[in-house]
Amino acid sequence: MLPLGGCLLTDKPEPGLDIPQAYDRASRNPAIAEAVLPPLDWWHGFRSRELTDIIEEARTANLDIAAAVARIVQADAQSRVAGSALLPVVDLNGSATRSRASQSSGDSSGPSERNLLSASLTASYEIDFWGKNRSALRAAEQAAVASRYDREVVGLTTVVATANAYFQVLAAQDRLQVARDNLKSADRVLNLIQQRVNAGTASALDTAQQESIVYTQRAAIPPLEQILTQNRNALALLMARSPESVRIRGGSLRAIAYPRVTPGLPSELLAQRPDIREAEANLAAANANVENARAQMLPSITLTGEGGYQSAILKTLLRPESAFYTATAGLTQPIFDGLKLQGNLDAQKGRQDELLQNYRKAVISGFADVENALDGIRQTALRERLQGDVVTSSRRAFEISEQRLNQGTIDLVTVLQTQQTLYQALDLLVQARLAHVQAIVSLYQALGGGWLPKPVEAADAR
């Protein structure tokens, strides 16, 4: 019967995954052929002391992380509950009874009042012949493992959200500085035009057009201040603090370093992404639940025993003649339950298949996330470089047009065009820098955060 039971309880589907040999974007660039994997504290690579302090506080105080830790405690407790079925249950029983029979029944052969004292131990144990309880324990243990990876997922998401919110603060400050500088520049040009109006070389239409640019630049400031406030408040929430108690100095995206990171081998991603490991643990728990559901359809064997002392008088309670015991062995085989057990088995199989597909999706999504992040870094770096060229040319054109306006040798239409081109180019450059640094953060997230250093081989150590 044991080999038959082993066959009945084996049902672990294969994921059937096709692991690529290398990332497509990485293989196209020989310069990043050697992996530069992120350390555990990868946010230090941006070289911002304030960012590091904010992330460290968020990792300690974040409420989502605290809730994930509480779920770990619950999962550990559930595994202990499931494991209790593998151990015998022992109860201590004690009772004292005093009874009085009716005197009007006609039976006066004995005393009317009686005492009964009892003290005993009761033990019961279910023999886990088919592995039902062991599989339930494995399912609970794997659920506890999954809860730990869930905490890692929440922790990584919190760090990434904190970094992105901080970079949004820096970008908003940069864009505000650009908008204020543009406003000063537009006011300066407006003064020049008014001087030409006073000299009779410009019209009221020229003044109105430049005033429109001034007002446009002035109207661009409040939305940027709102973005700045919103992201500062988002950082306060991530640190589990009230917005009034948080002071974010910020600075400029130009002071942020761009760390270099490359992904390594795709197969390594399976061991590093916490969401993939969580999906794997959930699938292992589902496999154990299927085994448990199938074992419930097989006979269960239970051993019970009770022993102790009974006596009508307290002083004779612990004498050998007052001892008693009972021992019972029982076997239960489900015959008809309205297909309840079969329905439970089918439900567990369906859950198993669902988690199998979730695991496959998590793996494929992990590869896609890395590819997208690598491409995002390449494209945003190119965009930032090209946008820098646009700013350089636009600034040179505006400086020349402003000089010629002051000299009265250029038409105002050209000045207005060069102004608008420069103002837009400066704002787009800040947005390009933000997209570049966020693409780097996305690659860290796609790789599962920081990696433990590889162990040094004995040969290398020498």
mmCIF file of all heavy atoms in Angstrom, residues 55-103:
data_model
loop_
_atom_site.group_PDB
_atom_site.id
_atom_site.type_symbol
_atom_site.label_atom_id
_atom_site.label_comp_id
_atom_site.label_asym_id
_atom_site.label_seq_id
_atom_site.Cartn_x
_atom_site.Cartn_y
_atom_site.Cartn_z
ATOM 1 N N ILE A 55 15.735 57.129 2.574
ATOM 2 C CA ILE A 55 15.458 55.715 2.286
ATOM 3 C C ILE A 55 15.658 54.866 3.526
ATOM 4 O O ILE A 55 14.855 53.955 3.815
ATOM 5 C CB ILE A 55 16.336 55.232 1.119
ATOM 6 C CG1 ILE A 55 15.842 55.835 -0.200
ATOM 7 C CG2 ILE A 55 16.325 53.707 1.031
ATOM 8 C CD1 ILE A 55 16.642 55.429 -1.415
ATOM 9 N N GLU A 56 16.703 55.122 4.270
ATOM 10 C CA GLU A 56 16.947 54.340 5.491
ATOM 11 C C GLU A 56 15.802 54.522 6.486
ATOM 12 O O GLU A 56 15.361 53.549 7.129
ATOM 13 C CB GLU A 56 18.273 54.758 6.131
ATOM 14 C CG GLU A 56 19.507 54.422 5.308
ATOM 15 C CD GLU A 56 19.721 52.929 5.151
ATOM 16 O OE1 GLU A 56 19.112 52.154 5.913
ATOM 17 O OE2 GLU A 56 20.500 52.532 4.271
ATOM 18 N N GLU A 57 15.300 55.735 6.609
ATOM 19 C CA GLU A 57 14.169 55.954 7.516
ATOM 20 C C GLU A 57 12.908 55.268 6.999
ATOM 21 O O GLU A 57 12.142 54.685 7.775
ATOM 22 C CB GLU A 57 13.919 57.450 7.698
ATOM 23 C CG GLU A 57 12.803 57.761 8.687
ATOM 24 C CD GLU A 57 12.666 59.228 9.007
ATOM 25 O OE1 GLU A 57 13.542 60.013 8.592
ATOM 26 O OE2 GLU A 57 11.684 59.595 9.686
ATOM 27 N N ALA A 58 12.697 55.321 5.681
ATOM 28 C CA ALA A 58 11.521 54.660 5.111
ATOM 29 C C ALA A 58 11.596 53.149 5.311
ATOM 30 O O ALA A 58 10.579 52.504 5.607
ATOM 31 C CB ALA A 58 11.399 54.995 3.626
ATOM 32 N N ARG A 59 12.757 52.566 5.176
ATOM 33 C CA ARG A 59 12.904 51.113 5.367
ATOM 34 C C ARG A 59 12.631 50.712 6.807
ATOM 35 O O ARG A 59 12.217 49.577 7.075
ATOM 36 C CB ARG A 59 14.310 50.667 4.964
ATOM 37 C CG ARG A 59 14.610 50.825 3.485
ATOM 38 C CD ARG A 59 16.034 50.453 3.156
ATOM 39 N NE ARG A 59 16.251 49.020 3.279
ATOM 40 C CZ ARG A 59 17.283 48.455 3.898
ATOM 41 N NH1 ARG A 59 18.202 49.214 4.486
ATOM 42 N NH2 ARG A 59 17.401 47.150 3.949
ATOM 43 N N THR A 60 12.854 51.635 7.726
ATOM 44 C CA THR A 60 12.645 51.335 9.152
ATOM 45 C C THR A 60 11.209 51.598 9.596
ATOM 46 O O THR A 60 10.632 50.810 10.354
ATOM 47 C CB THR A 60 13.608 52.182 10.002
ATOM 48 O OG1 THR A 60 14.954 51.909 9.599
ATOM 49 C CG2 THR A 60 13.444 51.857 11.475
ATOM 50 N N ALA A 61 10.618 52.688 9.090
ATOM 51 C CA ALA A 61 9.341 53.152 9.648
ATOM 52 C C ALA A 61 8.150 52.960 8.731
ATOM 53 O O ALA A 61 7.016 53.182 9.178
ATOM 54 C CB ALA A 61 9.458 54.632 10.020
ATOM 55 N N ASN A 62 8.361 52.554 7.488
ATOM 56 C CA ASN A 62 7.243 52.496 6.544
ATOM 57 C C ASN A 62 6.133 51.568 7.048
ATOM 58 O O ASN A 62 6.399 50.460 7.519
ATOM 59 C CB ASN A 62 7.744 52.023 5.185
ATOM 60 C CG ASN A 62 6.655 51.998 4.140
ATOM 61 O OD1 ASN A 62 6.047 50.967 3.887
ATOM 62 N ND2 ASN A 62 6.386 53.141 3.550
ATOM 63 N N LEU A 63 4.895 52.014 6.930
ATOM 64 C CA LEU A 63 3.761 51.262 7.469
ATOM 65 C C LEU A 63 3.430 50.041 6.616
ATOM 66 O O LEU A 63 2.956 49.028 7.146
ATOM 67 C CB LEU A 63 2.542 52.188 7.578
ATOM 68 C CG LEU A 63 2.735 53.404 8.499
ATOM 69 C CD1 LEU A 63 1.489 54.269 8.501
ATOM 70 C CD2 LEU A 63 3.074 52.951 9.913
ATOM 71 N N ASP A 64 3.647 50.113 5.314
ATOM 72 C CA ASP A 64 3.414 48.943 4.471
ATOM 73 C C ASP A 64 4.385 47.817 4.816
ATOM 74 O O ASP A 64 4.018 46.643 4.837
ATOM 75 C CB ASP A 64 3.555 49.320 2.993
ATOM 76 C CG ASP A 64 2.418 50.207 2.512
ATOM 77 O OD1 ASP A 64 1.310 50.088 3.072
ATOM 78 O OD2 ASP A 64 2.637 51.011 1.597
ATOM 79 N N ILE A 65 5.633 48.181 5.102
ATOM 80 C CA ILE A 65 6.616 47.170 5.516
ATOM 81 C C ILE A 65 6.222 46.587 6.864
ATOM 82 O O ILE A 65 6.320 45.370 7.084
ATOM 83 C CB ILE A 65 8.020 47.793 5.570
ATOM 84 C CG1 ILE A 65 8.475 48.196 4.163
ATOM 85 C CG2 ILE A 65 9.017 46.818 6.181
ATOM 86 C CD1 ILE A 65 9.838 48.859 4.120
ATOM 87 N N ALA A 66 5.750 47.441 7.789
ATOM 88 C CA ALA A 66 5.315 46.944 9.098
ATOM 89 C C ALA A 66 4.149 45.973 8.950
ATOM 90 O O ALA A 66 4.086 44.943 9.641
ATOM 91 C CB ALA A 66 4.926 48.114 9.997
ATOM 92 N N ALA A 67 3.214 46.270 8.046
ATOM 93 C CA ALA A 67 2.097 45.360 7.815
ATOM 94 C C ALA A 67 2.583 44.039 7.223
ATOM 95 O O ALA A 67 2.071 42.960 7.569
ATOM 96 C CB ALA A 67 1.078 46.009 6.876
ATOM 97 N N ALA A 68 3.583 44.099 6.339
ATOM 98 C CA ALA A 68 4.141 42.869 5.760
ATOM 99 C C ALA A 68 4.822 42.024 6.831
ATOM 100 O O ALA A 68 4.739 40.782 6.809
ATOM 101 C CB ALA A 68 5.121 43.211 4.640
ATOM 102 N N VAL A 69 5.496 42.666 7.772
ATOM 103 C CA VAL A 69 6.112 41.928 8.882
ATOM 104 C C VAL A 69 5.036 41.259 9.739
ATOM 105 O O VAL A 69 5.205 40.115 10.193
ATOM 106 C CB VAL A 69 6.984 42.880 9.731
ATOM 107 C CG1 VAL A 69 7.470 42.186 11.001
ATOM 108 C CG2 VAL A 69 8.171 43.380 8.910
ATOM 109 N N ALA A 70 3.928 41.955 9.961
ATOM 110 C CA ALA A 70 2.825 41.361 10.727
ATOM 111 C C ALA A 70 2.260 40.137 10.007
ATOM 112 O O ALA A 70 1.864 39.157 10.651
ATOM 113 C CB ALA A 70 1.724 42.397 10.961
ATOM 114 N N ARG A 71 2.239 40.167 8.675
ATOM 115 C CA ARG A 71 1.773 38.997 7.930
ATOM 116 C C ARG A 71 2.732 37.825 8.081
ATOM 117 O O ARG A 71 2.310 36.661 8.062
ATOM 118 C CB ARG A 71 1.597 39.365 6.445
ATOM 119 C CG ARG A 71 0.417 40.286 6.187
ATOM 120 C CD ARG A 71 0.072 40.360 4.708
ATOM 121 N NE ARG A 71 1.097 41.027 3.927
ATOM 122 C CZ ARG A 71 1.138 42.336 3.706
ATOM 123 N NH1 ARG A 71 0.190 43.125 4.227
ATOM 124 N NH2 ARG A 71 2.080 42.876 2.967
ATOM 125 N N ILE A 72 4.010 38.099 8.245
ATOM 126 C CA ILE A 72 4.983 37.023 8.510
ATOM 127 C C ILE A 72 4.677 36.359 9.844
ATOM 128 O O ILE A 72 4.700 35.125 9.969
ATOM 129 C CB ILE A 72 6.415 37.584 8.493
ATOM 130 C CG1 ILE A 72 6.799 38.037 7.079
ATOM 131 C CG2 ILE A 72 7.408 36.540 8.990
ATOM 132 C CD1 ILE A 72 8.171 38.672 6.992
ATOM 133 N N VAL A 73 4.387 37.175 10.857
ATOM 134 C CA VAL A 73 4.050 36.623 12.176
ATOM 135 C C VAL A 73 2.816 35.724 12.075
ATOM 136 O O VAL A 73 2.765 34.632 12.659
ATOM 137 C CB VAL A 73 3.822 37.767 13.180
ATOM 138 C CG1 VAL A 73 3.342 37.221 14.520
ATOM 139 C CG2 VAL A 73 5.101 38.587 13.367
ATOM 140 N N GLN A 74 1.810 36.172 11.328
ATOM 141 C CA GLN A 74 0.606 35.363 11.156
ATOM 142 C C GLN A 74 0.914 34.053 10.444
ATOM 143 O O GLN A 74 0.417 32.981 10.829
ATOM 144 C CB GLN A 74 -0.426 36.162 10.355
ATOM 145 C CG GLN A 74 -0.913 37.432 11.025
ATOM 146 C CD GLN A 74 -1.820 38.236 10.120
ATOM 147 O OE1 GLN A 74 -2.826 37.750 9.618
ATOM 148 N NE2 GLN A 74 -1.454 39.487 9.882
ATOM 149 N N ALA A 75 1.730 34.128 9.384
ATOM 150 C CA ALA A 75 2.050 32.913 8.628
ATOM 151 C C ALA A 75 2.840 31.924 9.481
ATOM 152 O O ALA A 75 2.622 30.707 9.406
ATOM 153 C CB ALA A 75 2.827 33.277 7.366
ATOM 154 N N ASP A 76 3.771 32.422 10.296
ATOM 155 C CA ASP A 76 4.524 31.530 11.194
ATOM 156 C C ASP A 76 3.596 30.858 12.201
ATOM 157 O O ASP A 76 3.745 29.665 12.507
ATOM 158 C CB ASP A 76 5.607 32.316 11.927
ATOM 159 C CG ASP A 76 6.757 32.711 11.016
ATOM 160 O OD1 ASP A 76 6.865 32.136 9.909
ATOM 161 O OD2 ASP A 76 7.545 33.592 11.397
ATOM 162 N N ALA A 77 2.634 31.627 12.710
ATOM 163 C CA ALA A 77 1.682 31.044 13.659
ATOM 164 C C ALA A 77 0.823 29.983 12.982
ATOM 165 O O ALA A 77 0.549 28.922 13.574
ATOM 166 C CB ALA A 77 0.798 32.149 14.246
ATOM 167 N N GLN A 78 0.419 30.219 11.744
ATOM 168 C CA GLN A 78 -0.374 29.232 11.026
ATOM 169 C C GLN A 78 0.421 27.956 10.767
ATOM 170 O O GLN A 78 -0.137 26.852 10.791
ATOM 171 C CB GLN A 78 -0.865 29.818 9.702
ATOM 172 C CG GLN A 78 -1.950 30.876 9.850
ATOM 173 C CD GLN A 78 -3.214 30.310 10.482
ATOM 174 O OE1 GLN A 78 -3.568 29.157 10.295
ATOM 175 N NE2 GLN A 78 -3.899 31.154 11.252
ATOM 176 N N SER A 79 1.715 28.085 10.508
ATOM 177 C CA SER A 79 2.535 26.879 10.309
ATOM 178 C C SER A 79 2.648 26.079 11.597
ATOM 179 O O SER A 79 2.676 24.843 11.571
ATOM 180 C CB SER A 79 3.924 27.267 9.793
ATOM 181 O OG SER A 79 4.650 27.995 10.769
ATOM 182 N N ARG A 80 2.701 26.769 12.752
ATOM 183 C CA ARG A 80 2.721 26.041 14.029
ATOM 184 C C ARG A 80 1.391 25.342 14.269
ATOM 185 O O ARG A 80 1.345 24.222 14.801
ATOM 186 C CB ARG A 80 3.042 26.993 15.181
ATOM 187 C CG ARG A 80 4.471 27.503 15.163
ATOM 188 C CD ARG A 80 4.852 28.152 16.480
ATOM 189 N NE ARG A 80 4.058 29.343 16.764
ATOM 190 C CZ ARG A 80 4.384 30.567 16.359
ATOM 191 N NH1 ARG A 80 5.482 30.756 15.648
ATOM 192 N NH2 ARG A 80 3.621 31.602 16.667
ATOM 193 N N VAL A 81 0.293 25.997 13.889
ATOM 194 C CA VAL A 81 -1.023 25.367 14.018
ATOM 195 C C VAL A 81 -1.101 24.116 13.152
ATOM 196 O O VAL A 81 -1.575 23.058 13.584
ATOM 197 C CB VAL A 81 -2.134 26.366 13.639
ATOM 198 C CG1 VAL A 81 -3.487 25.661 13.565
ATOM 199 C CG2 VAL A 81 -2.200 27.505 14.652
ATOM 200 N N ALA A 82 -0.610 24.224 11.909
ATOM 201 C CA ALA A 82 -0.649 23.068 11.010
ATOM 202 C C ALA A 82 0.260 21.948 11.507
ATOM 203 O O ALA A 82 -0.065 20.759 11.371
ATOM 204 C CB ALA A 82 -0.246 23.495 9.600
ATOM 205 N N GLY A 83 1.401 22.307 12.085
ATOM 206 C CA GLY A 83 2.330 21.285 12.576
ATOM 207 C C GLY A 83 1.848 20.566 13.816
ATOM 208 O O GLY A 83 2.321 19.466 14.128
ATOM 209 N N SER A 84 0.885 21.134 14.532
ATOM 210 C CA SER A 84 0.398 20.490 15.755
ATOM 211 C C SER A 84 -0.296 19.169 15.463
ATOM 212 O O SER A 84 -0.358 18.296 16.340
ATOM 213 C CB SER A 84 -0.567 21.439 16.480
ATOM 214 O OG SER A 84 -1.739 21.666 15.700
ATOM 215 N N ALA A 85 -0.814 18.968 14.237
ATOM 216 C CA ALA A 85 -1.494 17.714 13.910
ATOM 217 C C ALA A 85 -0.538 16.539 13.867
ATOM 218 O O ALA A 85 -0.968 15.377 13.933
ATOM 219 C CB ALA A 85 -2.208 17.847 12.565
ATOM 220 N N LEU A 86 0.775 16.784 13.775
ATOM 221 C CA LEU A 86 1.764 15.702 13.752
ATOM 222 C C LEU A 86 2.142 15.236 15.152
ATOM 223 O O LEU A 86 2.881 14.258 15.286
ATOM 224 C CB LEU A 86 3.013 16.168 13.011
ATOM 225 C CG LEU A 86 2.848 16.414 11.509
ATOM 226 C CD1 LEU A 86 4.084 17.092 10.942
ATOM 227 C CD2 LEU A 86 2.578 15.105 10.785
ATOM 228 N N LEU A 87 1.670 15.907 16.176
ATOM 229 C CA LEU A 87 2.000 15.563 17.559
ATOM 230 C C LEU A 87 0.753 15.081 18.278
ATOM 231 O O LEU A 87 -0.369 15.456 17.930
ATOM 232 C CB LEU A 87 2.585 16.784 18.277
ATOM 233 C CG LEU A 87 3.857 17.379 17.658
ATOM 234 C CD1 LEU A 87 4.238 18.659 18.382
ATOM 235 C CD2 LEU A 87 4.996 16.375 17.704
ATOM 236 N N PRO A 88 0.919 14.236 19.299
ATOM 237 C CA PRO A 88 -0.247 13.778 20.060
ATOM 238 C C PRO A 88 -0.854 14.911 20.877
ATOM 239 O O PRO A 88 -0.179 15.866 21.261
ATOM 240 C CB PRO A 88 0.334 12.685 20.966
ATOM 241 C CG PRO A 88 1.777 13.001 21.076
ATOM 242 C CD PRO A 88 2.175 13.621 19.780
ATOM 243 N N VAL A 89 -2.153 14.778 21.137
ATOM 244 C CA VAL A 89 -2.877 15.725 21.978
ATOM 245 C C VAL A 89 -3.079 15.082 23.345
ATOM 246 O O VAL A 89 -3.632 13.973 23.440
ATOM 247 C CB VAL A 89 -4.227 16.103 21.352
ATOM 248 C CG1 VAL A 89 -5.002 17.031 22.279
ATOM 249 C CG2 VAL A 89 -4.016 16.758 19.994
ATOM 250 N N VAL A 90 -2.623 15.734 24.398
ATOM 251 C CA VAL A 90 -2.713 15.201 25.757
ATOM 252 C C VAL A 90 -3.492 16.201 26.606
ATOM 253 O O VAL A 90 -3.161 17.394 26.617
ATOM 254 C CB VAL A 90 -1.316 14.945 26.360
ATOM 255 C CG1 VAL A 90 -1.445 14.394 27.780
ATOM 256 C CG2 VAL A 90 -0.515 13.993 25.487
ATOM 257 N N ASP A 91 -4.521 15.692 27.303
ATOM 258 C CA ASP A 91 -5.345 16.536 28.162
ATOM 259 C C ASP A 91 -5.351 15.970 29.575
ATOM 260 O O ASP A 91 -5.365 14.743 29.782
ATOM 261 C CB ASP A 91 -6.785 16.609 27.654
ATOM 262 C CG ASP A 91 -6.889 17.289 26.301
ATOM 263 O OD1 ASP A 91 -6.159 18.264 26.089
ATOM 264 O OD2 ASP A 91 -7.684 16.826 25.457
ATOM 265 N N LEU A 92 -5.339 16.851 30.551
ATOM 266 C CA LEU A 92 -5.480 16.479 31.953
ATOM 267 C C LEU A 92 -6.920 16.757 32.366
ATOM 268 O O LEU A 92 -7.415 17.863 32.188
ATOM 269 C CB LEU A 92 -4.516 17.288 32.820
ATOM 270 C CG LEU A 92 -4.672 17.109 34.337
ATOM 271 C CD1 LEU A 92 -4.371 15.667 34.752
ATOM 272 C CD2 LEU A 92 -3.770 18.088 35.088
ATOM 273 N N ASN A 93 -7.578 15.722 32.912
ATOM 274 C CA ASN A 93 -8.974 15.836 33.309
ATOM 275 C C ASN A 93 -9.101 15.594 34.804
ATOM 276 O O ASN A 93 -8.498 14.661 35.354
ATOM 277 C CB ASN A 93 -9.841 14.818 32.555
ATOM 278 C CG ASN A 93 -9.663 14.929 31.047
ATOM 279 O OD1 ASN A 93 -9.856 15.983 30.484
ATOM 280 N ND2 ASN A 93 -9.271 13.821 30.410
ATOM 281 N N GLY A 94 -9.863 16.386 35.451
ATOM 282 C CA GLY A 94 -10.154 16.184 36.871
ATOM 283 C C GLY A 94 -11.591 16.573 37.172
ATOM 284 O O GLY A 94 -12.104 17.548 36.614
ATOM 285 N N SER A 95 -12.260 15.796 38.013
ATOM 286 C CA SER A 95 -13.650 16.097 38.332
ATOM 287 C C SER A 95 -13.979 15.612 39.733
ATOM 288 O O SER A 95 -13.373 14.658 40.246
ATOM 289 C CB SER A 95 -14.604 15.453 37.321
ATOM 290 O OG SER A 95 -14.540 14.047 37.395
ATOM 291 N N ALA A 96 -14.926 16.268 40.357
ATOM 292 C CA ALA A 96 -15.447 15.864 41.662
ATOM 293 C C ALA A 96 -16.969 15.988 41.600
ATOM 294 O O ALA A 96 -17.488 17.065 41.302
ATOM 295 C CB ALA A 96 -14.876 16.739 42.772
ATOM 296 N N THR A 97 -17.669 14.870 41.855
ATOM 297 C CA THR A 97 -19.133 14.840 41.732
ATOM 298 C C THR A 97 -19.746 14.378 43.049
ATOM 299 O O THR A 97 -19.285 13.404 43.655
ATOM 300 C CB THR A 97 -19.560 13.886 40.599
ATOM 301 O OG1 THR A 97 -18.905 14.284 39.403
ATOM 302 C CG2 THR A 97 -21.058 13.923 40.397
ATOM 303 N N ARG A 98 -20.804 15.044 43.496
ATOM 304 C CA ARG A 98 -21.576 14.623 44.673
ATOM 305 C C ARG A 98 -23.025 14.531 44.229
ATOM 306 O O ARG A 98 -23.585 15.504 43.696
ATOM 307 C CB ARG A 98 -21.433 15.620 45.815
ATOM 308 C CG ARG A 98 -22.183 15.214 47.082
ATOM 309 C CD ARG A 98 -21.922 16.217 48.198
ATOM 310 N NE ARG A 98 -22.653 15.883 49.412
ATOM 311 C CZ ARG A 98 -22.231 15.009 50.333
ATOM 312 N NH1 ARG A 98 -21.049 14.399 50.166
ATOM 313 N NH2 ARG A 98 -22.939 14.760 51.420
ATOM 314 N N SER A 99 -23.634 13.385 44.408
ATOM 315 C CA SER A 99 -25.005 13.163 43.946
ATOM 316 C C SER A 99 -25.859 12.605 45.077
ATOM 317 O O SER A 99 -25.358 11.984 46.021
ATOM 318 C CB SER A 99 -25.005 12.188 42.760
ATOM 319 O OG SER A 99 -24.451 10.943 43.133
ATOM 320 N N ARG A 100 -27.177 12.828 44.974
ATOM 321 C CA ARG A 100 -28.133 12.326 45.973
ATOM 322 C C ARG A 100 -29.310 11.719 45.231
ATOM 323 O O ARG A 100 -29.909 12.350 44.361
ATOM 324 C CB ARG A 100 -28.616 13.469 46.863
ATOM 325 C CG ARG A 100 -29.593 13.056 47.946
ATOM 326 C CD ARG A 100 -29.979 14.269 48.788
ATOM 327 N NE ARG A 100 -30.822 13.899 49.908
ATOM 328 C CZ ARG A 100 -32.156 13.719 49.838
ATOM 329 N NH1 ARG A 100 -32.786 13.903 48.682
ATOM 330 N NH2 ARG A 100 -32.843 13.366 50.917
ATOM 331 N N ALA A 101 -29.583 10.463 45.509
ATOM 332 C CA ALA A 101 -30.695 9.750 44.876
ATOM 333 C C ALA A 101 -32.008 10.105 45.580
ATOM 334 O O ALA A 101 -32.034 10.485 46.751
ATOM 335 C CB ALA A 101 -30.466 8.247 44.924
ATOM 336 N N SER A 102 -33.108 9.959 44.864
ATOM 337 C CA SER A 102 -34.428 10.244 45.422
ATOM 338 C C SER A 102 -34.801 9.167 46.442
ATOM 339 O O SER A 102 -34.624 7.972 46.207
ATOM 340 C CB SER A 102 -35.464 10.287 44.295
ATOM 341 O OG SER A 102 -36.754 10.416 44.831
ATOM 342 N N GLN A 103 -35.329 9.580 47.612
ATOM 343 C CA GLN A 103 -35.729 8.646 48.647
ATOM 344 C C GLN A 103 -37.144 8.129 48.438
ATOM 345 O O GLN A 103 -37.570 7.173 49.090
ATOM 346 C CB GLN A 103 -35.649 9.334 50.022
ATOM 347 C CG GLN A 103 -34.238 9.788 50.392
ATOM 348 C CD GLN A 103 -33.283 8.622 50.518
ATOM 349 O OE1 GLN A 103 -33.577 7.616 51.188
ATOM 350 N NE2 GLN A 103 -32.139 8.732 49.844
#
